[in-house]
Amino acid sequence: MAAAALRLAVIAVAVGALVSSSSSAAVCPHANHTAPFAADFTMLQHQLRGTVRLADDGSCALRLTRFDLLAASPSARFWAARGDSLADLAAGRAFSPHPLNHTFRNATLLLPFSAPLPPLLALFDPDTSSDLGHVFLPVSASASNATDDSGVASPSPSPEPVPTMFDNCLPLAENKYRLRWTLNASAGTVEIGLEAAVGSEYYMAFGWADPKANSPAMIHSDVVVAGFTEEGMPFAEDYYITDYSECTLGTDESPVSGVCPDKVYDEGKNDSMLVYGHRRDGVSFVRYQRKLDTGDTKYDVLVSATEEMAVVWAIGKLRPPDTLRPHYLPQNHGGPRDTTYGFARVNLSETVDSCNGPLDADNKEDQERIIADAKTPLVVTSAPAVRYPNPPNPDKVIYINKKEAPLLKVERGVPVKFSVQAGHDVALYITSDPIGGNATLRNKTEVIYAGSRDAHGVPATPTELLWLPDRNTPDLVYYQSLYEPKMGWKVQVVDGGLSDMYNSSVLLDDQQVTLFWTLSHDSISIAARGEKKSGYLAVGFGSGMLNSYAYVGWVGNDGVGRVKSYWIDGKSAAGIHPTSENLTYVRCRSENGIITFEFTRPLKPSCSGRVECKNIIDPTTPLKVVWAMGASWSGNSLTDSNMHSITSSRPIRVLLLRGSAEAEQDLRPVLAVHGFMMFVAWGILLPGGILAARYLKNLKGDGWYQIHVYLQYSGIAIMFLGVLFAAAELRGFYVSSVHVKFGVTALLLAGLQPLNAYFRPKRPANGEASSWNRVLWEYLHVITGRSAIIVGIVALFTGMKHLGHRYDSENVEELTWALMLWVLSAIVITLYLEYKEVKRRSGDTSSRGHWVLGNTEEDDSVDLLHPDSTDRNSESSPECVMEVQLEPLAR
């Protein structure tokens, strides 16, 4: 018996020691707080709610309950800081490694700590300097004055009531509309929070049904209509319902009727008091207070604190005041019951917490939006912050068109003009950094798309900043001040359509694929969009997919879009060979099965020895384009299952410079006219003028000379017209092909002839020897003229070859043979005339004068600009040339 008692005593001592040991171990050595506390988080973003207190077991941990949060970014963390300013948060540290990149629904978390509690616990994203919300912890003043190893310390204020936190929550419309309330029975009041995932133009109505009614109804209900004014300010107004209609103000003949504010009735007044309101993440929230017994028995319902009562609710569009109706008037809610309106029974004294997680609006961008217009400048000013979307923020922020930090929407390819007049301390710039204020000062990198230190001004002398978003601009950038962080907000860069991003576009064969492009100095940006659903889209440069350079765009099973280049020399999978072309700015996406891909490539690859090095794009030459679509594509090993299911029936010739396309067999009429005019000039008129000067000297008078000059000038005029036609067709003048080089040479040689003839030296008198200037001129005139003919004929043949390369037409070959026969005929005729001329000269012993390179005597006194020149020389003859020179008489 004694032994048993002894054993019990030992056990008791051991248990006591263990309990004593556990109690001592449960005392947190880092406790710097006051008495046990509970503090609520202040909501700033992401629908944050929650209550924080010390762990119940006395360990070094904070217990977070009723924790709601919409998913934040992967970098967001629980954060310890001195205070809620941007500088304090930036100097803080992570309090817990717990990630916040998923949604929390009424969760309970335990946050251990190994250092004295900070004055402020926040949910902070250091990458964007975003404070999602915070709570001030009631640490002791003496402890808070002693800094910890992070340097975080300062006295913190006592926890204050947070307007977004309530004792109870009841869903009215699932995932859309909620009722929150806190009852203060001793004061005879209830504070109600209305929360709805609706637009800012919607109202939220809640109230008590007529207790005298047999069934709940809207008629004679006492409701509060809450919402936001056009300026974004919250309101809560007491309404009384007498009819299912918009409020009609009374007259002497008819009383007030409809859904009307209490104060429009006789002896009515607004018995609700606005406490707080905000718009966050696309959710409207308004908190107001009302008395259980307002003393108004005519328009208000006496609310019981302990009994269950019928309530009514609705959400709908809100009509703003006008000159006739100076009140916000709810419109008919419409929609089905329990979605846009409904009834319920509520006992204010019962504990209800049936709201599971935060409301998640479809459109969370609640900030005002501005869509940039190329014709209208955006006026940039600065003013005090009121509802800045990304707290914390400086006292002064950027306004655009009088809107505080709006979401700016721009389109690629559309220029944006800013009129900066925000003050000389606000230098506007467009950056990739969400914080701004010159990222280099924070040891960060950023890409600046527009703006600089000079982009500042005042209303009297604004500065104009022009920015052109292009296809390489990211979908999201920011407008900020270069001198102060977080003054601006987001710029949403969208594709206003590929036609806005590219200079030219054409529909390819069968109108199943659209090709877009923009030419630059040494590169071309290309986009292709299928017009029907497919697994991949391929575009090839060539007369067909066989022996073509192809570009294939597809979206893989991982959801990533890809674009690759190939050389195709066979009709099976083995004939498709990947190439290593230098493709940049590559994009590919699929929208409802429609494939669109984009890339930029050099016009002339800077490589040699590989098949893709021959894939040169000449903007002056039509580009033959074909296309194909199929069900699936693989970037690794291809099989016959990857072959196309549909393809173009013929290539389309894309005129890159003109921005248009033509069918392969088409012959551009303007180019045909160009070729015909050049044939007339170089094949008929100009050679005819030379033949006239060479073989028509035996004609009486100056007929040969007139024929020579008229034919030459006519040929030159037609030649220049032909050049203008070609330049207009190609929208430019490009000296790149062999044909153009020969043509320019012939053009210059032909253009020298009139200038050469204008400066010809005078012909010597009879019996005098020709001067050296005259001899040199005759050699120059004859050599350049005949050289021009030779080069012009060569230009005709190279033009036919160039035309054949463009159109691959049998007609071009036939025209080339016809031109060859024409030239051969001209040569035969010239040889015959030369033979006759030599024979004539050898038999004509009486001819006199000079002969240089076949030129016999000519009369320089002939003035072809006057029609009577023939009469003045009608007595001259080839056998006896007479010159008469008139000189003025001396006076």
Side-chain angles (χ1 to χ4, degrees), residues 722-872:
V723 171
L724 293 178
F725 272 96
E729 175 69 12
L730 298 177
R731 293 190 177 183
F733 195 78
Y734 304 91
V735 185
S736 57
S737 65
V738 175
H739 167 65
V740 177
K741 292 176 181 178
F742 273 104
V744 170
T745 303
L747 184 70
L748 293 176
L749 291 174
L752 286 175
Q753 291 303 86
L755 187 66
N756 178 287
Y758 180 79
F759 290 104
R760 65 185 177 186
K762 290 184 178 181
R763 179 180 177 275
N766 291 336
E768 294 183 2
S770 298
S771 65
W772 280 106
N773 290 338
R774 178 75 183 192
V775 173
L776 290 176
W777 176 84
E778 289 179 349
Y779 272 100
L780 180 63
H781 185 67
V782 173
I783 292 175
T784 55
R786 295 178 184 179
S787 298
I789 290 296
I790 295 173
V791 176
I793 296 297
V794 174
L796 288 178
F797 280 103
T798 56
M800 298 301 293
K801 182 179 179 180
H802 194 57
L803 197 64
H805 177 70
R806 284 172 176 258
Y807 297 99
D808 293 336
S809 174
E810 295 180 358
N811 293 332
V812 173
E813 295 182 3
E814 294 174 357
L815 291 173
T816 302
W817 281 109
L819 179 61
M820 292 176 63
L821 291 176
W822 176 267
V823 173
L824 288 175
S825 300
I827 292 175
V828 171
I829 293 174
T830 302
L831 292 176
Y832 174 75
L833 292 175
E834 186 66 22
Y835 167 75
K836 295 290 289 182
E837 179 69 14
V838 171
K839 185 177 180 181
R840 184 188 67 80
R841 233 187 247 120
S842 61
D844 188 1
T845 58
S846 62
S847 65
R848 295 182 296 137
H850 302 283
W851 183 80
V852 178
L853 295 178
N855 284 326
T856 56
E857 300 158 355
E858 61 183 88
D859 190 356
D860 288 348
S861 64
V862 176
D863 186 0
L864 297 178
L865 297 179
H866 294 82
D868 60 346
S869 58
T870 304
D871 298 335
R872 297 199 315 261

Side-chain angles (χ1 to χ4, degrees), residues 611-629:
V611 64
E612 63 266 23
C613 302
K614 300 179 181 179
N615 186 14
I616 300 173
I617 295 179
D618 181 4
T620 65
T621 302
L623 183 65
K624 302 175 186 177
V625 183
V626 293
W627 60 265
M629 298 181 191

Side-chain angles (χ1 to χ4, degrees), residues 447-503:
V447 178
I448 297 178
Y449 299 94
S452 65
R453 296 182 180 275
D454 299 327
H456 59 83
V458 294
T461 56
T463 297
E464 182 178 288
L465 174 62
L466 190 64
W467 172 41
L468 181 62
D470 57 25
R471 62 181 299 270
N472 303 320
T473 306
D475 294 338
L476 181 64
V477 293
Y478 302 85
Y479 62 91
Q480 297 285 2
S481 169
L482 197 61
Y483 301 133
E484 179 78 21
K486 300 190 71 173
M487 289 190 68
W489 190 226
K490 298 177 181 178
V491 181
Q492 184 181 2
V493 185
V494 299
D495 295 340
L498 292 173
S499 57
D500 294 332
M501 300 164 53
Y502 293 86
N503 293 341

